[in-house]
């Protein structure tokens, strides 16, 4: 591992990256774009870093006591991060040369492995404690928990019909009915962990 982020022009003719962003000292575990020009990355080096994707320059590095594994948008200027301290931490990224921690949500009993924004005020988090928790981050409170996997949660996906999908190290995908907060379909893979989910155009 070289702990870098590479930016590519996938429509261009060059097979080389436009920029290679260097600064992280351990594995980069997640990246989001939160403005037209800025991205944020989290890493097992216990940092969040802000980057200008048009210049390839690091803008700011915020150091934590624990490694982060996932990041997702909350609002236009705030993000949510999860990691080994079992919490969801919210940060304001609106000001250049600064990252400000806003508040922390607690409830998981193991590592937070994945995050997804469900709507303008709700975030879902998956954890190695085998559960998925839904949070109202505006009111800063836990809403409800989905339990059905027998191993840690690896990925989450909000489907186009408003149902919700989760993948797990128990080799299964669960399709959830969020209104009933219950399992609708369980898809079982015989040999391997589920690491990523996407929905095709035909459903």
């Amino acid at each position: 591992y070289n702990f870098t982020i590479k930016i590519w022009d996938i429509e261009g003719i060059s097979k080389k990256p436009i920029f290679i962003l260097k600064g992280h000292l351990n594995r980069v575990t997640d990246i989001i774009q939160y403005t037209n020009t800025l991205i944020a990355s989290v890493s097992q080096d216990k940092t969040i870093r802000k980057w200008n994707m048009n210049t390839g320059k690091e803008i700011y590095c915020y150091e934590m006591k624990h490694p982060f594994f996932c990041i997702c948008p909350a609002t236009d200027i705030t993000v949510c991060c999860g990691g080994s301290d079992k919490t969801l931490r919210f940060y304001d990224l609106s000001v250049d040369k600064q990252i400000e921690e806003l508040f922390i949500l607690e409830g998981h009993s193991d590592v937070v492995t994945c995050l997804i924004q469900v709507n303008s005020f709700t975030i879902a988090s998956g954890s190695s404690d085998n559960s998925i928790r839904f949070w109202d981050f505006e009111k800063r409170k836990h809403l409800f928990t989905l339990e059905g996997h027998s191993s840690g949660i690896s990925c989450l996906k909000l489907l186009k019909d408003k149902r919700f999908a989760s993948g797990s190290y128990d080799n299964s995908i669960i399709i959830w009915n969020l209104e009933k907060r219950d399992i609708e379909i369980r898809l079982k893979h015989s040999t391997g962990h589920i690491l990523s989910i996407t929905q095709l155009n035909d459903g």
Side-chain angles (χ1 to χ4, degrees), residues 63-179:
E63 296 186 6
M64 278 294 302
K65 295 180 180 179
H66 308 278
F68 288 124
F69 298 112
C70 45
I71 184 172
C72 79
T75 70
D76 291 341
I77 61 171
T78 60
V79 298
C80 176
C81 299
S84 64
D85 71 346
K86 311 172 189 177
T87 68
L88 280 67
R89 294 177 179 266
F90 289 77
Y91 297 92
D92 184 338
L93 303 186
S94 61
V95 181
D96 282 351
K97 303 295 184 184
Q98 187 176 344
I99 295 175
E100 179 186 0
E101 185 171 281
L102 300 173
F103 58 92
I104 302 170
L105 296 177
E106 297 179 312
H108 283 294
S109 60
D110 208 333
V111 174
V112 177
T113 52
C114 48
L115 295 164
I116 189 170
Q117 185 179 24
V118 180
N119 56 42
S120 59
F121 59 87
T122 307
I123 280 177
S125 57
S127 168
S128 294
D129 66 11
N130 306 355
S131 75
I132 303 159
R133 285 179 169 253
F134 285 71
W135 312 81
D136 184 327
F137 61 83
E138 286 189 342
K139 296 180 179 179
R140 304 185 188 184
K141 70 176 185 178
H142 170 248
L143 296 173
F144 60 91
T145 301
L146 300 178
E147 295 180 306
H149 286 290
S150 60
S151 191
I153 312 302
S154 56
C155 50
L156 303 170
K157 181 71 175 180
L158 184 65
L159 304 181
K160 295 172 185 177
D161 58 7
K162 304 302 180 183
R163 292 185 296 175
F164 193 80
S166 58
S168 169
Y169 294 103
D170 67 6
N171 303 0
S172 76
I173 298 169
I174 292 178
I175 310 299
W176 303 86
N177 184 316
L178 291 185
E179 289 186 359

